[in-house]
Amino acid sequence: DALRVGVAILKKLVIYNEGRKRAGYEPIQIGMGMNTGSLILGTIGGADRMDSTVISDSVNLASRLEGMSKMYGLDFLITEFTYSKLNNPHSYSVRIIDRVAVKGKQKAVTVYEVYDGDSLKSQNLKNKTKKSFEMGIRLYQLQGFDDALEQFEKCYQVNPEDPAIKIYLERCKRHIKEGPMPNWDGVTRLEYK
């Protein structure tokens, strides 16, 4: 249900931004992060001020995903934990984005983009490049940077506006230049929140 609501928000935002564009205003861009897991919900404070909140590693990871949406230039990111709980994951437009270890954590998490809320043009372009894009990510994670670069260049020819493609093109070129890395595990380690 939460995933459907996120997609619905993004679809409404596409329509809203079309009106903003016609009126001469810049479009609004938002980013969402979603994770699935246990949490603690409670009310804290005293007689003069009370506040309800949720805390847990699951909540923290969802917050970090929201921040990562800006880094990748994508609107809606989910974790492998949310993806694995979907009743019918193939009813959504989803592509793998990265394996990430957030600041303060050693364990990596697979991150996916849900792009059903994108414009129809963007959805079509991501669908056309999905197979090569995901192959590029697999090759990248296996340190096959030359082959990965070839896949991402194919994607770029079709969809040069996709920020995730641009990120991987830059990463591959940098790693080719630097050469093989000892202890490589293909995980992106984030040093900020």
Side-chain angles (χ1 to χ4, degrees), residues 114-126:
V114 179
Y115 56 94
D116 294 270
D118 286 14
S119 69
L120 287 177
K121 178 184 175 186
S122 177
Q123 287 182 52
N124 288 334
L125 290 171
K126 287 178 182 179

Side-chain angles (χ1 to χ4, degrees), residues 114-164:
V114 179
Y115 56 94
D116 294 270
D118 286 14
S119 69
L120 287 177
K121 178 184 175 186
S122 177
Q123 287 182 52
N124 288 334
L125 290 171
K126 287 178 182 179
N127 285 335
K128 285 180 184 176
T129 60
K130 181 178 175 178
K131 185 176 178 181
S132 290
F133 181 80
E134 290 185 337
M135 174 61 75
I137 289 177
R138 280 192 290 279
L139 291 164
Y140 172 85
Q141 290 173 340
L142 294 170
Q143 219 171 165
F145 303 123
D146 290 310
D147 293 332
L149 180 62
E150 186 178 309
Q151 293 298 317
F152 294 124
E153 285 174 339
K154 277 199 266 185
C155 295
Y156 186 79
Q157 294 302 313
V158 175
N159 191 4
E161 299 303 314
D162 186 333

Side-chain angles (χ1 to χ4, degrees), residues 2-186:
L3 188 69
R4 281 195 295 271
V5 168
V7 168
I9 289 169
L10 291 170
K11 285 181 177 183
K12 289 287 187 186
L13 185 62
V14 167
I15 295 166
Y16 180 71
N17 278 335
E18 288 170 1
R20 285 183 61 84
K21 187 176 179 181
R22 283 191 303 273
Y25 295 105
E26 290 291 317
I28 294 172
Q29 188 172 8
I30 64 172
M32 290 188 264
M34 185 176 296
N35 185 33
T36 301
S38 59
L39 57 85
I40 297 172
L41 168 69
T43 303
I44 57 174
D48 294 334
R49 183 169 181 244
M50 296 185 75
D51 193 16
S52 295
T53 191
V54 290
I55 57 171
S56 75
D57 279 346
S58 296
V59 173
N60 185 38
L61 182 54
S63 176
R64 302 282 178 93
L65 280 179
E66 185 272 331
M68 279 188 265
S69 71
K70 294 178 188 89
M71 179 183 99
Y72 289 101
L74 304 172
D75 295 332
F76 197 177
L77 298 177
I78 65 172
T79 64
E80 63 190 68
F81 309 115
T82 299
Y83 184 81
S84 70
K85 295 290 185 185
L86 295 175
N87 290 332
N88 189 2
H90 300 294
S91 65
Y92 297 97
S93 298
V94 178
R95 66 179 181 168
I96 190 168
I97 293 298
D98 209 345
R99 294 261 315 141
V100 177
V102 298
K103 184 175 181 177
K105 301 294 177 188
Q106 295 298 316
K107 188 174 179 187
V109 175
T110 301
V111 176
Y112 298 86
E113 176 194 17
V114 179
Y115 56 94
D116 294 270
D118 286 14
S119 69
L120 287 177
K121 178 184 175 186
S122 177
Q123 287 182 52
N124 288 334
L125 290 171
K126 287 178 182 179
N127 285 335
K128 285 180 184 176
T129 60
K130 181 178 175 178
K131 185 176 178 181
S132 290
F133 181 80
E134 290 185 337
M135 174 61 75
I137 289 177
R138 280 192 290 279
L139 291 164
Y140 172 85
Q141 290 173 340
L142 294 170
Q143 219 171 165
F145 303 123
D146 290 310
D147 293 332
L149 180 62
E150 186 178 309
Q151 293 298 317
F152 294 124
E153 285 174 339
K154 277 199 266 185
C155 295
Y156 186 79
Q157 294 302 313
V158 175
N159 191 4
E161 299 303 314
D162 186 333
I165 293 170
K166 292 176 186 177
I167 287 170
Y168 276 102
L169 284 170
E170 290 173 18
R171 286 182 182 179
C172 287
K173 289 174 184 174
R174 185 179 73 244
H175 291 311
I176 289 168
K177 185 178 179 181
E178 293 171 357
M181 285 150 281
N183 304 320
W184 172 263
D185 60 4

